[in-house]
Amino acid sequence: MTDRYKGRPRADLANLAGMAAAASQEARVVAARRRMLTVRLTDEERRISIDELSEQFAIGRLDEPELHRRVDVVNEAVTHADLQPAFEGLPLPSLYTPKPRQPGRWRWAAFAGAVWLALPFFLTGLVFLVFGREIAAAIFALPSLAWVFFAYRWASRPRRQNPQHPPRR
């Protein structure tokens, strides 16, 4: 083996997946901002923008005259494009962060697939039961019923929050 790759960071699958997810999130934020540029501002969006500027003032990123100048820019803004100079040099306001995707809907599709997979085994168990083969009926039907029960429990449970990663706003 050569030592020419020794100082470079490893590009393993986990790092690549993490970078792809981050790039995807960034692309969604940029696309949301681009779509909103020509849309007129609402009073609620102005209030949110002023609150975010006040928060930046409280942190210490803005002094008082700069805060007043930027609040005037927000109050005079008509569209989101007019709002951009007020946040120049500051973190993006929460207006442009996309709403988090609703988790869990795909779980019900997986549950329907689990029922579909269990159905032939359950019906085979019923046929065995009709013909007097109770042991064979139990061997076929009970595991399929357990499979559907656990799939239902999994699909209907609320999503757990990961304690290492706080929920996004």
Side-chain angles (χ1 to χ4, degrees), residues 113-124:
V115 170
W116 187 252
L117 286 173
L119 190 62
F121 293 98
F122 180 73
L123 293 176
T124 304

Side-chain angles (χ1 to χ4, degrees), residues 7-80:
R8 293 185 185 177
R10 280 188 64 197
D12 57 357
L13 188 58
N15 286 340
L16 291 176
M19 288 187 288
S24 171
Q25 179 69 18
E26 259 182 58
R28 286 188 2 200
V29 169
V30 168
R33 284 182 65 195
R34 191 176 303 124
R35 280 192 305 269
M36 296 293 288
L37 285 180
T38 59
V39 176
R40 295 178 65 89
L41 286 169
T42 64
D43 291 336
E44 179 68 17
E45 290 169 337
R46 280 191 184 88
R47 186 193 62 75
I48 290 170
S49 298
I50 291 172
D51 287 348
E52 298 222 4
L53 286 173
S54 300
E55 190 175 314
Q56 298 301 323
F57 171 72
I59 292 172
R61 287 192 176 122
L62 298 174
D63 56 352
E64 194 168 346
E66 182 70 14
L67 173 68
H68 290 302
R69 186 188 69 76
R70 289 181 186 232
V71 167
D72 290 341
V73 169
V74 169
N75 287 329
E76 293 170 0
V78 177
T79 64
H80 285 269

Side-chain angles (χ1 to χ4, degrees), residues 133-145:
R133 304 285 185 205
E134 291 85 8
I135 299 298
I139 290 172
F140 274 89
L142 292 180
S144 65
L145 289 177

